[in-house]
């Protein structure tokens, strides 16, 4: 082999080797670039905090709130300490206050103390923040704000004092006495009076009970003020305030009656139980509604026959709904039987069947998931879109392995909405064996479904244990579906059926009822 040939081979080999090194370095460089891009996203947000305009910072805070991302809290606290910008502070105080996140107390107190130099919206946001974090050290500043009688800040200061009293038992009585003194000697109108009464309830102080009892019983006070006093007594929950609440159940004013019934919820006595049962007979629908709410809150088993009657026959939809929810809250064998009957009867309105299904799934998912799935398939076969969507929403909350086959079916054949609910069920039940199907949806071409799939994968990694399988023989009776001509797989046979979310119900108009005349204020109109 000639010398020139050897040199040529050597140069060719060198070229190949250099090409390999360049490619390898390029791959390594690409990873580094990705890392830099990932880091720059957080760094850009920090730069926005350091150098951004008020609009840019307010927009960032809203984004962090939407994402529930709180890793920049310390930087934002430092920003608040040096900023006087109304837009920034008015965004920061609620962002921290809604989470009761401490750290801005000093800045909030400074804003109030130097209020002549601060914007009104900043001061109001600062006052609300101090109440939300229940800052005991703010009591003196807020009381001074009341003493100044600056109307623009009064109601906010009253609300915050109430919250602070509720979070600081050692200060609650003192705050309650201060609020009563302000009501008696200085507060000038019903708006201030109402705020003080609500704040007294928030303190939870027994010192406010005699004062609230007197107002609740007074025929000279307006209905709105008396109703606020009843709610405040309920919030405090001390037996000393019970008598006036029970007496108010018999008020001629239907609004006061309904408020009194609702206020009975925290109290436990035979007298209270009987007052709630009697309220189911009231001609004013809001009183029956309050009775259902109170029965549910107390898990009052004696009310189940009354609730069953209202769920089946009441001519006001809100009362029907609240009766069904109360049956779900009670959840004993009798209540479950009533719910199963309401759900199984296909002649019932979709609204009744859907809400009953939700309660059954909440109380006994292992027993009733298969039953709800069968009716879901039947609704799809008959193209009953509102019923299908409602039952789909109900079954998506189930925590039971009984929904695993449905999830697999939705992943394989479902539309976008069905796949979205399948992701919910996968996360709720920690179906880790379906990780591959979830990963298939993370492709960016799936849009919002892709983001939800990624979140689902994160939840699957965080949750250690799957939901246990349902028992072989469900207790408490059979969950066998009613006779149906629909095959179980009917939904799989028609995966393309259009679905649309059922909007929340608006305030429904009751029929056939007129509230009694009130001597103080007219009864609330259901319209």
């Amino acid at each position: 082999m000639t010398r020139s040939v050897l040199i040529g081979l050597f140069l060719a080999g060198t070229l190949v080797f250099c090409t390999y090194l360049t490619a390898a370095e390029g791959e390594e460089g690409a990873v580094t670039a990705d890392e830099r891009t990932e880091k720059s996203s957080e760094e850009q947000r920090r730069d926005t905090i350091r150098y951004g305009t008020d609009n840019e910072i307010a927009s960032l805070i809203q984004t962090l709130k939407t994402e529930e991302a709180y890793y920049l809290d310390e930087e934002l606290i430092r920003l608040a300490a040096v900023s006087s910008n109304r837009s920034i502070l008015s965004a920061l105080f609620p962002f921290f206050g809604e989470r009761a996140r401490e750290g801005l107390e000093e800045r909030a107190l400074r804003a109030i103390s130097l209020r002549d130099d601060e914007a009104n919206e900043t001061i109001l946001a600062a006052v609300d923040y101090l109440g939300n974090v229940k800052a005991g050290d703010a009591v003196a500043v807020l009381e001074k704000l009341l003493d100044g009688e600056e109307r623009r800040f009064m109601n906010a200061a009253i609300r915050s004092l109430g919250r602070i009293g509720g979070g600081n038992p050692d200060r609650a009585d003192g705050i309650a006495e201060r609020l009563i003194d302000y009501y008696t000697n200085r507060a000038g109108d019903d708006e201030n009076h109402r705020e003080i009464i609500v704040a007294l309830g928030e303190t939870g102080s027994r010192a406010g009970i005699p004062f609230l009892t007197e107002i609740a019983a007074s025929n000279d006070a307006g209905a709105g003020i008396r109703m606020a006093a009843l709610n405040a007594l309920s919030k405090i929950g001390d037996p000393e305030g019970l008598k006036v609440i029970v007496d108010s159940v018999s008020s001629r004013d239907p609004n006061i009656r309904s408020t009194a019934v609702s206020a009975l919820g925290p109290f436990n006595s035979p007298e209270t139980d009987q007052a709630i049962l009697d309220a189911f007979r009231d001609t004013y629908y809001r009183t029956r509604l309050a009775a259902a709410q109170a029965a549910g809150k107390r898990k009052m088993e004696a009310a189940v026959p009354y609730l069953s009657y209202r769920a089946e026959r009441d001519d006001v939809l809100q009362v029907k709904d609240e009766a069904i929810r109360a049956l779900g809250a009670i959840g004993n064998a009798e209540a479950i039987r009533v719910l199963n009957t309401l759900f199984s009867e296909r002649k019932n309105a979709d609204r009744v069947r859907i809400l009953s299904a939700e309660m059954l799934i909440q109380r006994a998912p292992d027993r009733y998931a298969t039953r709800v799935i069968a009716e879901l398939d039947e609704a799809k076969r008959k193209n009953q879109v509102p019923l299908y969507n409602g039952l789909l929403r109900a079954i998506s909350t189930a925590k039971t392995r009984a929904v695993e086959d449905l999830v697999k079916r939705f992943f394989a054949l479902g539309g976008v909405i069905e796949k979205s609910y399948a992701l919910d069920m996968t996360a709720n039940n920690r179906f880790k064996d379906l990780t591959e199907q979830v990963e298939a949806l993370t492709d960016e071409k799936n849009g919002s479904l892709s983001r939800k799939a990624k979140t689902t994968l994160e939840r699957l990694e965080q949750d250690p244990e799957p939901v246990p399988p349902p028992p072989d023989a469900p207790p408490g009776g059979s969950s066998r579906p009613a006779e149906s001509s629909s095959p179980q797989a009917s939904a799989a046979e028609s995966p393309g059926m259009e679905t649309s979310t059922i909007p929340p119900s608006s305030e429904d108009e009751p029929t056939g009822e007129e509230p009694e005349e009130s001597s103080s204020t007219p009864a609330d109109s259901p319209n």
Side-chain angles (χ1 to χ4, degrees), residues 247-286:
D247 290 345
S248 298
V249 172
S250 302
S251 170
R252 293 182 60 188
D253 188 314
N255 287 308
I256 293 176
R257 287 202 308 272
S258 61
T259 301
V261 173
S262 181
L264 290 171
F267 300 97
N268 187 19
S269 72
E271 183 183 21
T272 302
D273 290 350
Q274 189 57 51
I276 292 172
L277 295 179
D278 288 344
F280 281 107
R281 303 179 187 277
D282 200 293
T283 56
Y284 185 43
Y285 83 101
R286 287 192 184 278

Side-chain angles (χ1 to χ4, degrees), residues 162-231:
R163 293 176 193 143
I164 292 170
N168 297 270
D170 57 323
R171 296 178 180 266
D173 288 350
I175 290 174
E177 290 166 0
R178 186 77 166 79
L179 290 171
I180 292 170
D181 176 73
Y182 193 81
Y183 184 106
T184 304
N185 298 313
R186 280 184 288 175
D189 56 33
D190 279 355
E191 184 180 359
N192 293 144
H193 287 162
R194 181 180 175 81
E195 290 290 355
I196 290 172
I197 290 169
V198 172
L200 284 170
E202 290 290 336
T203 66
S205 170
R206 295 185 74 252
I209 294 176
F211 176 76
L212 293 169
T213 298
E214 183 180 351
I215 292 175
S218 173
N219 290 323
D220 295 329
I225 295 296
R226 294 175 65 188
M227 291 158 64
L230 290 168
N231 284 327

Side-chain angles (χ1 to χ4, degrees), residues 333-345:
E334 184 183 1
I336 293 297
R337 281 195 297 271
V338 173
L339 290 169
N340 187 35
T341 300
L342 292 170
F343 167 65
S344 300
E345 179 51 69

Side-chain angles (χ1 to χ4, degrees), residues 401 426-433 460 463-469:
R401 295 199 70 87
T426 300
N428 289 341
N429 294 283
R430 302 185 286 283
F431 289 152
K432 294 191 175 185
D433 50 339
L460 290 177
D463 293 332
E465 296 296 332
V467 172

Side-chain angles (χ1 to χ4, degrees), residues 68-391:
E68 297 183 353
Y70 310 125
Y71 62 92
L72 295 174
D73 277 2
E74 293 304 321
E75 287 88 340
L76 292 170
I77 290 171
R78 289 194 290 271
L79 172 64
V82 299
S83 177
S84 297
N85 185 286
R86 72 174 67 186
S87 297
I88 293 173
L89 293 173
S90 297
L92 279 174
F93 285 130
F95 179 60
F96 280 71
E98 289 166 8
R99 297 179 279 137
R101 169 67 159 90
E102 298 177 350
L104 300 182
E105 292 91 332
E106 183 180 346
R107 182 65 184 91
L109 289 169
R110 178 154 48 96
I112 298 170
S113 299
L114 303 175
R115 53 188 174 278
D116 291 339
D117 300 324
E118 300 277 8
N120 282 353
E121 60 190 282
T122 300
I123 300 165
L124 289 170
V127 172
D128 282 339
Y129 170 77
L130 292 170
N132 286 332
V133 297
K134 298 176 173 57
D137 293 340
V139 171
V141 173
L142 293 173
E143 288 181 343
K144 186 176 180 180
L145 196 61
L146 281 183
D147 289 337
E149 297 190 0
E150 296 181 69
R151 296 186 61 82
R152 53 190 175 151
F153 306 132
M154 279 184 185
N155 287 339
I158 291 167
R159 285 193 296 269
S160 287
L161 282 170
R163 293 176 193 143
I164 292 170
N168 297 270
D170 57 323
R171 296 178 180 266
D173 288 350
I175 290 174
E177 290 166 0
R178 186 77 166 79
L179 290 171
I180 292 170
D181 176 73
Y182 193 81
Y183 184 106
T184 304
N185 298 313
R186 280 184 288 175
D189 56 33
D190 279 355
E191 184 180 359
N192 293 144
H193 287 162
R194 181 180 175 81
E195 290 290 355
I196 290 172
I197 290 169
V198 172
L200 284 170
E202 290 290 336
T203 66
S205 170
R206 295 185 74 252
I209 294 176
F211 176 76
L212 293 169
T213 298
E214 183 180 351
I215 292 175
S218 173
N219 290 323
D220 295 329
I225 295 296
R226 294 175 65 188
M227 291 158 64
L230 290 168
N231 284 327
L233 288 167
S234 178
K235 183 87 173 176
I236 295 171
D238 190 279
E240 185 183 344
L242 176 59
K243 183 180 184 304
V244 71
I245 297 176
V246 173
D247 290 345
S248 298
V249 172
S250 302
S251 170
R252 293 182 60 188
D253 188 314
N255 287 308
I256 293 176
R257 287 202 308 272
S258 61
T259 301
V261 173
S262 181
L264 290 171
F267 300 97
N268 187 19
S269 72
E271 183 183 21
T272 302
D273 290 350
Q274 189 57 51
I276 292 172
L277 295 179
D278 288 344
F280 281 107
R281 303 179 187 277
D282 200 293
T283 56
Y284 185 43
Y285 83 101
R286 287 192 184 278
T287 305
R288 301 195 305 277
L289 185 71
Q293 292 169 338
K297 186 184 295 185
R298 296 162 59 82
K299 295 180 171 50
M300 189 175 165
E301 295 186 1
V304 171
Y306 295 81
L307 292 166
S308 174
Y309 186 91
R310 287 293 138 212
E312 293 174 0
R313 301 192 185 186
D314 206 287
D315 55 358
V316 179
L317 293 178
Q318 299 106 303
V319 178
K320 280 179 176 281
D321 289 352
E322 208 56 53
I324 293 170
R325 292 190 185 98
L327 289 165
I330 294 168
N332 65 355
E334 184 183 1
I336 293 297
R337 281 195 297 271
V338 173
L339 290 169
N340 187 35
T341 300
L342 292 170
F343 167 65
S344 300
E345 179 51 69
R346 290 179 176 172
K347 292 180 181 179
N348 282 340
D350 290 352
R351 179 182 182 129
V352 169
R353 299 189 69 202
I354 291 166
L355 189 52
S356 299
E358 289 178 6
M359 296 301 103
L360 290 170
I361 289 298
Q362 286 179 18
R363 299 298 303 190
D366 290 338
R367 194 191 315 171
Y368 289 102
T370 302
R371 178 78 179 88
V372 173
I373 292 170
E375 292 301 310
L376 179 78
D377 291 340
E378 176 71 2
K380 189 158 200 173
R381 188 182 71 82
K382 293 182 175 179
N383 203 35
Q384 296 171 310
V385 176
L387 178 60
Y388 179 81
N389 288 339
L391 294 179

Side-chain angles (χ1 to χ4, degrees), residues 380 413-415 418 490-498:
K380 189 158 200 173
L413 300 168
E418 290 164 323
S490 61
E493 294 168 1
S494 54
M497 177 176 133
E498 287 294 323

